[in-house]
Amino acid sequence: MKIVIINSGSSSIKYQLIDMPAKVVICRGMIDRIGLETSNFSYKTNQNSIEEILPILNHKVGLEKISTLLMDEKVGVIKSTSEIDAVGHRVVHGGATFSDTVLINEEVKEKIKQLFELAPLHNPANLEGIIVAEEVFPQAKQIAVFDTAFHQTMPEVAYRYAIPNYLLTENKIRAYGFHGTSHKYVSEKAIAYLENSSKIITVHLGNGCSITAVKDGKSVDHSMGFGPGNGLVMGTRSGDIDQAVIFYMVNSLGYSLNDVSTMLNKQSGMLGLTSHSDLRDIEANAEKGDPNCKLALEMNVYRIKKYIGAYAAAMNGVDAIVFTAGIGENSSFIRKAVCMDMDYLGIELDDYKNETRSKDIREINTPNAKTKILVIPTNEELEIAHQVYDLVLN
């Protein structure tokens, strides 16, 4: 069964063509820095590798370029769209409606659209991917896998807000959690690697960032909430903020609610602090002495450390810390800064191991450290492929 996986992030698209159940990746690639003049594009098969820097202004342009190359006469891997059996889509917010993988129809698309306000950087991109894929692969089954699904195991004490009860029972206002496909994948890999680990903190760091407490294989707490804007400092999102700031901006400074939403989701985080949203640019400028970039990195790290401490308390300990996603897997600087002065939790980083690179699971802790520090490359696409394959078969 040939399955195309489309994983649209807030400023990126990862894609793979996977033959299931053999798990053979026929083609893979990604686009990042979407919206900039210097977007990175890659397309790789066993025979060809294409890498370009070019302007990709939005997700639709990116998806159209991907689909064109898949069927290109010289470097393509399919001759006809009829060869594709299914397209699996990562969808960030499933709200109270979706807790499982579903076959996409008009009703599902409408519900995804209704959740735009709760995931303004993601659900629109996710729906755009679905609409383009329906045009490009009209005979394939379109299937949605929701980021919120893994966090359905959070206990009520973790997902409830201290607000009037009817807002939960009637309006479904609660913490849902996000990046679930990634947290599920890497936590399962960590458990298999460590064999008997029951308390794991998974740290997903990309343009969007989140952290999850995983106990006995289940999500028990998570940094994001009703929408994916809470928690850690992100590329363009503020993360945690006092709600009084929002009231003050609206009531005293004259901002509209739309203005505030735009600011907190698209103009804040690392971008608001430094004028850069990409961590590679921020690290480079910090090394040159830029005070805003240096402070932004310190704030980013400080927030991560606070959550690690909170989740260690919530689980009464921690067996392993897992770093994953673009920044978590590639930024040795961030990993070192997060793990510094954390010996009270048994976290001790090996500097040499931290600087090594690998596509495999690796430990970067010292030999005698009580808490393992793992770098596990996430593979949301493979996890999505598994869920799509299972749904199609059943």
Side-chain angles (χ1 to χ4, degrees), residues 351-362:
D351 287 332
Y352 176 77
K353 292 178 181 177
N354 184 43
E355 293 296 333
T356 61
R357 285 181 172 268
S358 173
K359 294 183 179 180
D360 299 321
I361 296 175
R362 67 188 191 276

Side-chain angles (χ1 to χ4, degrees), residues 99-136:
S99 59
D100 293 303
T101 301
V102 298
L103 185 67
I104 296 170
N105 54 27
E106 290 304 316
E107 182 181 0
V108 170
K109 287 191 289 185
E110 180 58 32
K111 290 186 180 297
I112 291 171
K113 187 174 182 180
Q114 291 171 8
L115 293 165
F116 276 11
E117 188 175 353
L118 302 186
L121 297 186
H122 296 87
N123 272 37
N126 302 151
L127 184 59
E128 187 69 49
I130 291 168
I131 293 170
V132 173
E134 286 177 329
E135 296 173 358
V136 176

Side-chain angles (χ1 to χ4, degrees), residues 102-212:
V102 298
L103 185 67
I104 296 170
N105 54 27
E106 290 304 316
E107 182 181 0
V108 170
K109 287 191 289 185
E110 180 58 32
K111 290 186 180 297
I112 291 171
K113 187 174 182 180
Q114 291 171 8
L115 293 165
F116 276 11
E117 188 175 353
L118 302 186
L121 297 186
H122 296 87
N123 272 37
N126 302 151
L127 184 59
E128 187 69 49
I130 291 168
I131 293 170
V132 173
E134 286 177 329
E135 296 173 358
V136 176
F137 307 106
Q139 295 171 289
K141 294 181 177 179
Q142 307 288 331
I143 294 170
V145 177
F146 295 92
D147 262 12
T148 46
F150 179 59
H151 302 296
Q152 295 300 305
T153 56
M154 286 195 298
E156 191 171 9
V157 68
Y159 73 69
R160 287 284 299 261
Y161 293 120
I163 55 179
N165 292 331
Y166 71 86
L167 289 171
L168 172 66
T169 56
E170 296 178 19
N171 305 109
K172 311 302 179 186
I173 298 177
R174 49 158 288 180
Y176 288 101
F178 301 91
H179 293 145
T181 306
S182 176
H183 287 290
K184 180 178 187 292
Y185 179 84
V186 299
S187 62
E188 288 176 350
K189 289 291 183 182
I191 291 168
Y193 176 83
L194 298 171
E195 295 182 350
N196 60 354
S197 180
S198 63
K199 300 173 182 177
I200 298 171
I201 297 175
T202 53
V203 188
H204 176 107
L205 302 177
N207 189 265
C209 303
S210 64
I211 183 168
T212 300

Side-chain angles (χ1 to χ4, degrees), residues 2 17-19 24-28 44-47 77:
K2 289 182 180 178
L17 173 56
I18 303 176
D19 188 9
V24 175
V25 178
I26 300 170
C27 171
R28 73 171 70 215
K44 297 178 181 179
T45 68
N46 289 334
Q47 291 77 34
V77 290

Side-chain angles (χ1 to χ4, degrees), residues 58-88:
N58 54 50
H59 286 74
K60 183 176 182 179
V61 173
L63 288 164
E64 288 174 346
K65 182 171 179 63
I66 292 166
S67 62
T68 298
L69 279 177
L70 285 174
M71 293 181 288
D72 185 82
E73 289 185 2
K74 294 182 178 179
V75 299
V77 290
I78 57 173
K79 294 182 179 180
S80 168
T81 59
S82 62
E83 295 179 41
I84 304 303
D85 299 290
V87 181

Side-chain angles (χ1 to χ4, degrees), residues 279-384:
L279 192 84
R280 290 165 291 192
D281 298 330
I282 296 167
E283 285 188 15
N285 283 288
E287 287 182 7
K288 296 175 183 177
D290 186 311
N292 289 332
C293 290
K294 291 171 70 174
L295 177 61
L297 290 172
E298 291 172 3
M299 291 173 63
N300 188 309
V301 167
Y302 182 73
R303 189 77 59 84
I304 297 168
K305 292 170 74 118
K306 282 176 63 176
Y307 269 92
I308 289 174
Y311 289 165
M315 295 190 293
N316 191 26
V318 56
D319 299 318
I321 307 291
V322 177
F323 289 96
T324 193
I327 294 170
E329 294 167 28
N330 296 301
S331 177
S332 59
F333 173 87
I334 290 292
R335 293 193 301 263
K336 181 176 182 177
V338 169
C339 294
M340 190 177 295
D341 299 325
M342 295 278 273
D343 49 292
Y344 78 103
L345 283 178
I347 298 172
E348 298 176 7
L349 187 77
D350 184 304
D351 287 332
Y352 176 77
K353 292 178 181 177
N354 184 43
E355 293 296 333
T356 61
R357 285 181 172 268
S358 173
K359 294 183 179 180
D360 299 321
I361 296 175
R362 67 188 191 276
E363 290 184 28
I364 58 173
N365 49 273
T366 59
N368 297 321
K370 294 181 180 178
T371 300
K372 298 289 188 183
I373 309 170
L374 304 179
V375 180
I376 302 180
T378 191
N379 195 333
E380 294 169 289
E381 292 75 30
L382 182 58
E383 178 62 33
I384 292 170

